[in-house]
Amino acid sequence: MELEVRHLRVVCAIAEAGSLTRAAAALSMTQPGLSTQLRRIESMLGGALFDRQRAGATPTAFGELVLARAHAVLPGIDALLADTARAARHLASPNRVRVGSVGAPLLGHLILAVRELLPEAEVTSRCHYSPVTLLDDLAAGRLEAAVLGDHPEQVLAPRDGVVLTPLVTEPVFALLPATHPLVGQEAVSLTELADHDWAMPRPDGDRTREYWSSVCALTGRRPSAPHEAEGRQLIELVRAGLAVSLCQATFSETPGVTVRPLAGNPSGTATSWPGTVTARWPPTATTSCAGWRPVTWTHVPPARSTRTGADATRARPVSRTPRDVAQ
């Protein structure tokens, strides 16, 4: 009988549980079966690993030595198994592709592209306001690809096993009521917007609220923000004339609201696929994606976005995105 990885797991389980009875339950084994296996392991290693008493099982000095080596070895083995499983999934032709997205204008085109590349695959999608949640799902293998977004100097922390590929950078525009006096201007300055009440998204993992605040700080003023909202609720507050806000340049205008460029920003949206870098005054962000395999994005045409936020977006097959306010 040779020592196997499963034997080390048994020893660690007993030490962690503190008794053979509890360890047997955790390992879905019977207590007599676990006792027999432990005796075989001890015989193979050449010494007693635990003092077994009525109060429980305590590692011997010899057992402490084995446990120390097991704790050093097992994490590396677990990492090897996780990496090889992930690599095997990537090599295999996937029959299921799970796609995530924040409020970026790429999701529909991404799904169509996946269906074209993998016509036999089942494609599902999941949308979420927070890019952090989607990035966690990617790292854990719960998604194969996602469209995310971030803000200048406020990028998401990298994750092992997730490849981030920038797709596009987009300026931020002003979102105004259709009857607002600034609508008549070709471009609106942040200083002018600071004179009005704002609707802002709530603070969360993508840090849109913090980014908006840092952009407004460039004017030397802190605008009044009595309304905290996102999605359809933010749009309704602006439509009612109660607030102004910010949005992506690709925001799809709806009746009652108007989009105007911010003075000093590029007048249009740069969309070179994959990956563009536009001049980033203050307000821009980047939409990104991360994926389960290399993807050619040049066939994905630009689309109108339904997301608002004080940021531009850079796209990658999995990463970050500003909060969508036009759900």
Coordinates of all heavy atoms in Angstrom, one line a residue, residues 163-228:
V163 N -8.9 36.4 -18.2 CA -8.1 37.3 -19.1 C -9.0 38.5 -19.4 O -10.1 38.4 -19.9 CB -7.8 36.5 -20.4 CG1 -7.1 37.4 -21.4 CG2 -7.0 35.3 -20.1
L164 N -8.4 39.7 -19.2 CA -9.1 41.0 -19.5 C -8.6 41.6 -20.8 O -7.4 41.8 -20.9 CB -8.9 41.9 -18.3 CG -9.4 41.5 -16.9 CD1 -9.1 42.5 -15.9 CD2 -10.9 41.2 -17.0
T165 N -9.5 41.8 -21.7 CA -9.1 42.4 -23.0 C -9.8 43.7 -23.2 O -11.0 43.6 -23.4 CB -9.4 41.4 -24.1 OG1 -8.7 40.2 -23.8 CG2 -8.9 41.9 -25.4
P166 N -9.2 44.9 -23.2 CA -9.9 46.1 -23.5 C -10.5 46.1 -24.9 O -9.9 45.7 -25.9 CB -8.8 47.2 -23.4 CG -7.7 46.5 -22.6 CD -7.8 45.1 -22.9
L167 N -11.7 46.6 -25.0 CA -12.4 46.7 -26.3 C -12.6 48.1 -26.8 O -12.4 48.5 -27.9 CB -13.7 46.0 -26.3 CG -13.7 44.5 -26.1 CD1 -15.1 43.9 -26.1 CD2 -12.8 43.8 -27.2
V168 N -13.1 49.0 -25.9 CA -13.5 50.3 -26.3 C -13.5 51.3 -25.1 O -13.8 50.9 -24.0 CB -14.9 50.3 -27.0 CG1 -16.0 50.0 -26.0 CG2 -15.2 51.7 -27.7
T169 N -13.1 52.5 -25.4 CA -13.2 53.6 -24.4 C -14.2 54.7 -24.9 O -14.2 55.0 -26.1 CB -11.8 54.2 -24.2 OG1 -10.9 53.2 -23.7 CG2 -11.9 55.4 -23.2
E170 N -15.0 55.1 -24.0 CA -16.1 56.0 -24.4 C -16.2 57.2 -23.4 O -16.1 57.1 -22.2 CB -17.4 55.2 -24.4 CG -18.7 56.0 -24.4 CD -19.9 55.0 -24.4 OE1 -19.7 53.9 -24.1 OE2 -21.0 55.5 -24.6
P171 N -16.4 58.4 -24.0 CA -16.5 59.6 -23.1 C -17.9 59.6 -22.3 O -18.8 58.9 -22.7 CB -16.4 60.8 -24.1 CG -17.0 60.2 -25.3 CD -16.5 58.8 -25.4
V172 N -18.0 60.5 -21.4 CA -19.2 60.6 -20.6 C -19.9 61.9 -21.0 O -19.3 62.9 -21.3 CB -18.8 60.7 -19.1 CG1 -20.1 61.0 -18.3 CG2 -18.2 59.4 -18.6
F173 N -21.2 61.8 -21.1 CA -22.0 63.0 -21.5 C -23.0 63.4 -20.4 O -23.1 62.7 -19.4 CB -22.9 62.6 -22.8 CG -22.1 62.7 -24.1 CD1 -20.7 62.7 -24.1 CD2 -22.8 62.6 -25.3 CE1 -20.0 62.8 -25.3 CE2 -22.1 62.7 -26.5 CZ -20.7 62.7 -26.5
A174 N -23.6 64.5 -20.6 CA -24.6 65.0 -19.6 C -25.9 64.5 -20.0 O -26.3 64.4 -21.2 CB -24.6 66.6 -19.6
L175 N -26.7 64.2 -19.0 CA -28.1 63.7 -19.1 C -29.0 64.8 -18.5 O -28.9 65.0 -17.3 CB -28.3 62.3 -18.4 CG -29.7 61.7 -18.6 CD1 -29.9 61.3 -20.1 CD2 -29.8 60.5 -17.7
L176 N -29.9 65.3 -19.4 CA -30.7 66.5 -19.0 C -32.2 66.3 -19.3 O -32.5 65.5 -20.2 CB -30.2 67.7 -19.7 CG -28.7 68.1 -19.7 CD1 -28.4 69.2 -20.7 CD2 -28.4 68.6 -18.3
P177 N -33.0 67.0 -18.5 CA -34.5 67.0 -18.9 C -34.6 67.6 -20.3 O -33.8 68.6 -20.6 CB -35.1 67.8 -17.8 CG -34.2 67.8 -16.7 CD -32.8 67.7 -17.3
A178 N -35.5 67.2 -21.1 CA -35.7 67.8 -22.4 C -36.0 69.3 -22.4 O -35.7 70.0 -23.4 CB -36.8 67.0 -23.2
T179 N -36.5 69.7 -21.3 CA -36.9 71.2 -21.2 C -35.8 72.0 -20.5 O -36.0 73.2 -20.2 CB -38.2 71.3 -20.5 OG1 -38.1 70.7 -19.2 CG2 -39.4 70.6 -21.2
H180 N -34.7 71.4 -20.2 CA -33.7 72.1 -19.4 C -33.1 73.2 -20.2 O -32.9 73.1 -21.5 CB -32.6 71.1 -19.0 CG -31.7 71.6 -17.9 ND1 -30.7 72.5 -18.1 CD2 -31.8 71.3 -16.6 CE1 -30.1 72.7 -16.9 NE2 -30.7 72.0 -16.0
P181 N -32.7 74.4 -19.6 CA -32.2 75.5 -20.4 C -30.8 75.2 -21.0 O -30.4 75.8 -22.0 CB -32.0 76.6 -19.3 CG -32.2 75.9 -18.0 CD -33.0 74.8 -18.2
L182 N -30.1 74.2 -20.5 CA -28.8 73.9 -21.1 C -28.9 73.0 -22.4 O -27.9 72.8 -23.1 CB -27.9 73.1 -20.1 CG -27.5 73.9 -18.8 CD1 -26.7 73.0 -17.9 CD2 -26.7 75.1 -19.2
V183 N -30.1 72.5 -22.7 CA -30.3 71.7 -23.8 C -29.9 72.4 -25.1 O -29.5 71.8 -26.1 CB -31.7 71.2 -23.9 CG1 -32.1 70.6 -25.2 CG2 -31.9 70.1 -22.8
G184 N -30.1 73.8 -25.1 CA -29.8 74.5 -26.3 C -28.3 74.7 -26.7 O -28.0 75.1 -27.7
Q185 N -27.4 74.2 -25.7 CA -26.0 74.3 -26.0 C -25.5 73.0 -26.6 O -26.0 72.0 -26.4 CB -25.3 74.5 -24.7 CG -25.7 75.8 -23.9 CD -24.9 76.0 -22.6 OE1 -25.2 76.9 -21.8 NE2 -23.9 75.2 -22.4
E186 N -24.5 73.2 -27.5 CA -23.9 72.0 -28.1 C -23.1 71.2 -27.1 O -23.0 70.0 -27.3 CB -23.0 72.5 -29.3 CG -23.7 73.1 -30.4 CD -22.7 73.4 -31.6 OE1 -21.6 73.0 -31.5 OE2 -23.2 73.9 -32.6
A187 N -22.5 71.8 -26.1 CA -21.8 71.1 -25.1 C -22.0 71.8 -23.7 O -22.2 73.0 -23.7 CB -20.3 71.1 -25.4
V188 N -22.0 71.0 -22.7 CA -22.3 71.5 -21.3 C -21.1 71.3 -20.5 O -20.5 70.3 -20.5 CB -23.5 70.7 -20.8 CG1 -23.9 71.2 -19.4 CG2 -24.8 70.8 -21.7
S189 N -20.8 72.3 -19.7 CA -19.7 72.2 -18.8 C -20.1 71.6 -17.4 O -21.3 71.8 -17.0 CB -19.0 73.6 -18.6 OG -19.8 74.4 -17.8
L190 N -19.2 71.0 -16.7 CA -19.5 70.5 -15.4 C -19.8 71.6 -14.4 O -20.6 71.4 -13.5 CB -18.3 69.7 -14.9 CG -18.1 68.2 -15.4 CD1 -16.8 67.6 -14.9 CD2 -19.3 67.4 -15.0
T191 N -19.2 72.7 -14.6 CA -19.5 73.9 -13.8 C -20.9 74.3 -13.9 O -21.6 74.6 -12.9 CB -18.5 75.0 -14.1 OG1 -17.2 74.6 -14.0 CG2 -18.8 76.2 -13.2
E192 N -21.5 74.3 -15.1 CA -22.9 74.6 -15.3 C -23.8 73.6 -14.6 O -24.8 73.9 -14.0 CB -23.2 74.8 -16.8 CG -22.5 76.0 -17.4 CD -22.7 76.0 -18.9 OE1 -22.5 74.9 -19.6 OE2 -23.2 77.0 -19.4
L193 N -23.4 72.3 -14.8 CA -24.2 71.2 -14.2 C -24.2 71.3 -12.7 O -25.2 70.9 -12.0 CB -23.7 69.9 -14.6 CG -23.9 69.5 -16.1 CD1 -23.3 68.1 -16.3 CD2 -25.4 69.4 -16.4
A194 N -23.1 71.8 -12.1 CA -23.0 71.8 -10.6 C -24.0 72.8 -10.0 O -24.2 72.8 -8.8 CB -21.6 72.2 -10.2
D195 N -24.6 73.7 -10.8 CA -25.6 74.6 -10.3 C -27.0 73.9 -10.1 O -27.9 74.5 -9.5 CB -25.8 75.8 -11.3 CG -24.6 76.7 -11.3 OD1 -23.8 76.7 -10.3 OD2 -24.3 77.3 -12.4
H196 N -27.1 72.7 -10.5 CA -28.4 72.0 -10.4 C -28.3 70.8 -9.5 O -27.3 70.2 -9.2 CB -28.8 71.6 -11.9 CG -28.9 72.7 -12.8 ND1 -30.0 73.5 -13.0 CD2 -27.9 73.2 -13.7 CE1 -29.7 74.4 -13.9 NE2 -28.5 74.3 -14.3
D197 N -29.5 70.3 -9.1 CA -29.6 69.1 -8.3 C -29.2 67.9 -9.2 O -29.6 67.8 -10.4 CB -31.0 68.9 -7.7 CG -31.3 69.9 -6.6 OD1 -30.3 70.4 -6.0 OD2 -32.5 70.1 -6.3
W198 N -28.6 66.9 -8.6 CA -28.2 65.7 -9.3 C -28.9 64.5 -8.8 O -29.3 64.4 -7.7 CB -26.6 65.5 -9.1 CG -25.8 66.4 -10.0 CD1 -25.8 67.7 -10.1 CD2 -24.7 66.0 -10.8 NE1 -24.8 68.2 -10.9 CE2 -24.1 67.1 -11.4 CE3 -24.2 64.7 -11.1 CZ2 -23.1 67.1 -12.3 CZ3 -23.1 64.7 -12.0 CH2 -22.6 65.9 -12.6
A199 N -29.0 63.5 -9.7 CA -29.3 62.1 -9.4 C -28.1 61.3 -9.6 O -27.5 61.3 -10.7 CB -30.5 61.6 -10.2
M200 N -27.7 60.6 -8.6 CA -26.4 59.8 -8.6 C -26.7 58.3 -8.3 O -27.6 58.0 -7.5 CB -25.4 60.3 -7.7 CG -24.8 61.6 -8.1 SD -23.3 62.0 -7.1 CE -22.6 63.4 -7.9
P201 N -26.0 57.4 -8.8 CA -26.1 56.0 -8.4 C -25.6 55.7 -7.0 O -24.8 56.5 -6.5 CB -25.3 55.2 -9.4 CG -24.2 56.2 -9.8 CD -24.9 57.5 -9.8
R202 N -26.1 54.7 -6.4 CA -25.7 54.4 -5.0 C -24.2 53.8 -5.1 O -23.8 53.3 -6.1 CB -26.6 53.3 -4.4 CG -26.4 51.9 -5.0 CD -27.3 50.9 -4.4 NE -27.1 49.6 -4.9 CZ -27.6 49.1 -6.0 NH1 -28.4 49.8 -6.7 NH2 -27.3 47.8 -6.4
P203 N -23.5 54.0 -4.0 CA -22.1 53.4 -3.9 C -22.1 51.9 -4.0 O -23.0 51.3 -3.3 CB -21.6 53.9 -2.6 CG -22.5 55.0 -2.1 CD -23.8 54.7 -2.7
D204 N -21.3 51.3 -4.8 CA -21.1 49.9 -4.8 C -19.8 49.5 -5.3 O -18.9 50.3 -5.4 CB -22.3 49.2 -5.6 CG -22.2 49.4 -7.1 OD1 -21.2 50.0 -7.5 OD2 -23.1 49.0 -7.8
G205 N -19.6 48.2 -5.7 CA -18.3 47.7 -6.0 C -17.6 48.3 -7.3 O -16.4 48.3 -7.4
D206 N -18.4 48.9 -8.2 CA -17.8 49.4 -9.4 C -17.4 50.9 -9.2 O -16.8 51.4 -10.1 CB -18.8 49.3 -10.6 CG -19.9 50.3 -10.6 OD1 -20.1 51.0 -9.6 OD2 -20.6 50.4 -11.7
R207 N -17.7 51.5 -8.1 CA -17.2 52.8 -7.7 C -17.6 53.9 -8.6 O -16.9 54.9 -8.8 CB -15.6 52.7 -7.6 CG -15.1 51.7 -6.6 CD -13.6 51.7 -6.5 NE -13.1 52.9 -5.9 CZ -11.8 53.2 -5.8 NH1 -10.9 52.3 -6.3 NH2 -11.4 54.3 -5.3
T208 N -18.7 53.7 -9.3 CA -19.2 54.8 -10.2 C -19.5 56.1 -9.4 O -19.1 57.2 -9.8 CB -20.5 54.4 -10.9 OG1 -20.2 53.3 -11.8 CG2 -21.1 55.5 -11.7
R209 N -20.1 55.9 -8.2 CA -20.5 57.1 -7.4 C -19.2 57.9 -7.0 O -19.1 59.1 -7.1 CB -21.2 56.7 -6.1 CG -21.6 57.8 -5.2 CD -22.6 58.7 -5.7 NE -23.0 59.7 -4.7 CZ -24.2 59.5 -4.0 NH1 -24.9 58.5 -4.2 NH2 -24.5 60.4 -3.1
E210 N -18.2 57.1 -6.6 CA -16.9 57.8 -6.2 C -16.3 58.4 -7.4 O -15.7 59.5 -7.3 CB -15.9 56.7 -5.6 CG -16.4 56.2 -4.3 CD -17.3 55.0 -4.4 OE1 -17.9 54.8 -5.5 OE2 -17.5 54.2 -3.4
Y211 N -16.4 57.8 -8.6 CA -15.8 58.4 -9.8 C -16.5 59.7 -10.1 O -15.9 60.7 -10.5 CB -15.8 57.4 -10.9 CG -15.3 58.0 -12.2 CD1 -13.9 58.4 -12.3 CD2 -16.1 58.2 -13.3 CE1 -13.4 59.0 -13.4 CE2 -15.6 58.8 -14.5 CZ -14.3 59.1 -14.5 OH -13.8 59.7 -15.7
W212 N -17.8 59.7 -10.1 CA -18.6 60.9 -10.4 C -18.1 62.0 -9.5 O -18.0 63.2 -9.9 CB -20.1 60.6 -10.2 CG -20.7 59.8 -11.3 CD1 -20.0 59.0 -12.1 CD2 -22.0 59.9 -11.7 NE1 -20.9 58.4 -13.0 CE2 -22.2 58.9 -12.8 CE3 -23.2 60.5 -11.2 CZ2 -23.4 58.7 -13.4 CZ3 -24.4 60.2 -11.8 CH2 -24.5 59.4 -12.9
S213 N -18.0 61.7 -8.2 CA -17.6 62.7 -7.2 C -16.2 63.3 -7.5 O -16.0 64.5 -7.4 CB -17.6 62.1 -5.8 OG -18.9 61.7 -5.4
S214 N -15.3 62.4 -7.9 CA -13.9 62.9 -8.2 C -14.0 63.8 -9.5 O -13.2 64.8 -9.6 CB -13.0 61.7 -8.4 OG -13.3 61.0 -9.6
V215 N -14.8 63.5 -10.5 CA -14.9 64.3 -11.6 C -15.5 65.7 -11.3 O -15.0 66.7 -11.7 CB -15.8 63.6 -12.7 CG1 -16.2 64.6 -13.8 CG2 -15.1 62.4 -13.3
C216 N -16.5 65.7 -10.5 CA -17.1 66.9 -10.1 C -16.2 67.8 -9.2 O -16.2 69.0 -9.3 CB -18.4 66.7 -9.3 SG -19.8 65.9 -10.2
A217 N -15.3 67.1 -8.5 CA -14.3 67.9 -7.7 C -13.4 68.7 -8.5 O -12.8 69.7 -8.0 CB -13.5 66.9 -6.8
L218 N -13.3 68.4 -9.8 CA -12.4 69.2 -10.7 C -12.9 70.6 -10.9 O -12.2 71.5 -11.3 CB -12.3 68.5 -12.0 CG -11.6 67.1 -12.0 CD1 -11.6 66.5 -13.4 CD2 -10.1 67.3 -11.5
T219 N -14.2 70.7 -10.7 CA -14.8 72.1 -10.8 C -14.6 72.9 -9.5 O -14.9 74.1 -9.5 CB -16.3 72.0 -11.1 OG1 -17.0 71.4 -9.9 CG2 -16.6 71.1 -12.2
G220 N -14.1 72.3 -8.5 CA -14.0 73.0 -7.2 C -15.3 73.1 -6.4 O -15.3 73.8 -5.4
R221 N -16.3 72.4 -6.9 CA -17.6 72.5 -6.2 C -18.2 71.1 -6.0 O -17.8 70.2 -6.7 CB -18.6 73.3 -7.1 CG -18.1 74.7 -7.5 CD -19.0 75.4 -8.4 NE -20.3 75.5 -7.9 CZ -21.4 76.0 -8.6 NH1 -21.2 76.5 -9.8 NH2 -22.6 76.1 -8.0
R222 N -19.0 71.0 -5.0 CA -19.7 69.8 -4.7 C -21.2 70.0 -5.0 O -21.9 70.6 -4.3 CB -19.5 69.4 -3.3 CG -20.2 68.0 -2.9 CD -20.1 67.8 -1.4 NE -18.7 67.7 -1.0 CZ -18.0 66.5 -1.0 NH1 -18.6 65.4 -1.4 NH2 -16.8 66.5 -0.6
P223 N -21.7 69.4 -6.1 CA -23.1 69.6 -6.5 C -24.0 68.9 -5.5 O -23.7 67.9 -4.8 CB -23.2 68.9 -7.9 CG -22.1 67.9 -7.9 CD -21.0 68.5 -7.1
S224 N -25.2 69.5 -5.4 CA -26.2 68.9 -4.5 C -26.7 67.6 -5.2 O -27.1 67.6 -6.4 CB -27.4 69.9 -4.3 OG -28.5 69.3 -3.7
A225 N -26.8 66.5 -4.4 CA -27.3 65.3 -5.0 C -28.3 64.7 -4.1 O -28.1 63.7 -3.3 CB -26.1 64.3 -5.1
P226 N -29.6 65.3 -4.1 CA -30.6 64.8 -3.2 C -31.2 63.4 -3.6 O -32.0 62.8 -2.9 CB -31.7 65.9 -3.3 CG -31.5 66.5 -4.6 CD -30.0 66.4 -4.9
H227 N -30.9 63.0 -4.8 CA -31.5 61.8 -5.4 C -30.5 60.7 -5.6 O -29.5 60.9 -6.3 CB -32.3 62.1 -6.7 CG -33.3 63.2 -6.5 ND1 -34.4 63.1 -5.8 CD2 -33.3 64.4 -7.1 CE1 -35.1 64.2 -5.8 NE2 -34.4 65.1 -6.6
E228 N -30.7 59.5 -5.0 CA -29.9 58.3 -5.3 C -30.7 57.3 -6.0 O -31.6 56.7 -5.5 CB -29.4 57.8 -3.9 CG -28.4 56.6 -4.0 CD -27.9 56.2 -2.7 OE1 -26.9 56.8 -2.2 OE2 -28.4 55.2 -2.2

